Amino acid sequence: MIPTREECLRLMDAYGMLENIVAHSLEVARVALFLSTELNKKGQKLDLGLVEAASLLHDLTKTECLQTKEDHAQTGSQLLKGMGYERIGDVVAQHIWLCKEVDPSSVSEEEIVNYADKRVMHDRIVSLEERFSDLKKRYGRIERSRDYLERLQKEIYGIENKIFYILQMNPGDLPDLHLDRN
Ligand SMILES: [Fe+2]
């Protein structure tokens, strides 16, 4: 079961998400949908409805987690699974860390949402390099967080290489998409 875009927007509204997190989620959805549509043209079999809904809802509980310090990937996933959105819950659970083995020849919805989230800083498309340097500035003061970010960064570069090898595109071509907005 996958909610429509309108249902997702209603849910985002109902959960009182901060405006900047809504703007971030809308941009993540745009990037994720663009990549998925292009990947499907190259023979991938991504479920576009799932990609869009999971992108829109990936930070559904982040606003409250800023207070409670809970892991919003986990609480968001549980909440969505509780609503019957099992697959969306799976994708949301992995939007920070991927826990599946990477298949070198196919791209999953989990990888797309995870990657799109890393390419959108606030509501702007950036390179992985820029996104991680911002994250390191914000969270990298503690050694453990720095190591964590290093591992995360390594993982996501592998996904980027796979996606753009299939697309025969340059990761830097994404900002053009941003300029085309409206
Ligand atoms: Fe998040």
Side-chain angles (χ1 to χ4, degrees):
M1 194 165 64
I2 294 173
T4 62
R5 182 178 177 92
E6 286 63 39
E7 285 167 330
C8 292
L9 296 175
R10 266 200 298 277
L11 262 178
M12 292 162 79
D13 195 43
Y15 277 83
M17 289 170 70
L18 286 170
E19 223 171 280
N20 60 318
I21 301 183
V22 171
H24 166 78
S25 304
L26 292 172
E27 189 64 10
V28 170
R30 236 167 50 80
V31 171
L33 266 183
F34 169 80
L35 290 173
S36 305
T37 306
E38 294 303 310
L39 283 164
N40 282 355
K41 289 182 197 163
K42 303 279 186 189
Q44 297 293 309
K45 303 219 164 21
L46 290 151
D47 179 334
L48 299 182
L50 173 59
V51 165
E52 181 172 35
S55 301
L56 290 170
L57 299 174
H58 78 279
D59 277 344
L60 185 62
T61 58
K62 185 166 181 173
T63 304
E64 65 189 47
C65 286
L66 293 174
Q67 306 289 329
T68 63
K69 306 281 179 226
E70 286 173 299
D71 175 346
H72 71 276
Q74 292 312 317
T75 60
S77 167
Q78 281 156 11
L79 177 70
L80 290 159
K81 287 190 175 194
M83 292 175 187
Y85 302 136
E86 192 64 30
R87 274 299 284 136
I88 296 180
D90 289 337
V91 178
V92 169
Q94 295 189 49
H95 86 265
I96 302 175
W97 266 116
L98 289 163
C99 54
K100 272 195 214 152
E101 276 292 306
V102 175
D103 177 335
S105 60
S106 80
V107 182
S108 66
E109 288 84 1
E110 279 82 351
E111 289 169 329
I112 286 291
V113 175
N114 184 300
Y115 177 73
D117 183 37
K118 308 278 183 306
R119 288 293 307 270
V120 178
M121 184 164 77
H122 311 302
D123 62 349
R124 190 164 66 84
I125 296 175
V126 294
S127 64
L128 288 180
E129 207 180 338
E130 190 175 344
R131 179 79 149 106
F132 275 91
S133 97
D134 176 69
L135 286 170
K136 281 176 195 164
K137 253 183 248 154
R138 286 196 281 155
Y139 305 110
R141 264 161 299 181
I142 306 156
E143 201 183 328
R144 203 159 45 100
S145 317
R146 217 171 26 245
D147 291 349
Y148 172 83
L149 285 169
E150 291 287 344
R151 278 186 291 134
L152 209 57
Q153 191 171 7
K154 219 170 169 186
E155 175 182 74
I156 204 65
Y157 271 111
I159 305 292
E160 176 168 82
N161 289 339
K162 177 170 73 171
I163 292 174
F164 286 89
Y165 178 75
I166 296 172
L167 290 179
Q168 291 293 297
M169 243 177 87
N170 192 316
D173 291 344
L174 271 184
D176 296 330
L177 171 79
H178 190 252
L179 295 173
D180 289 345
R181 184 151 59 172
N182 302 320

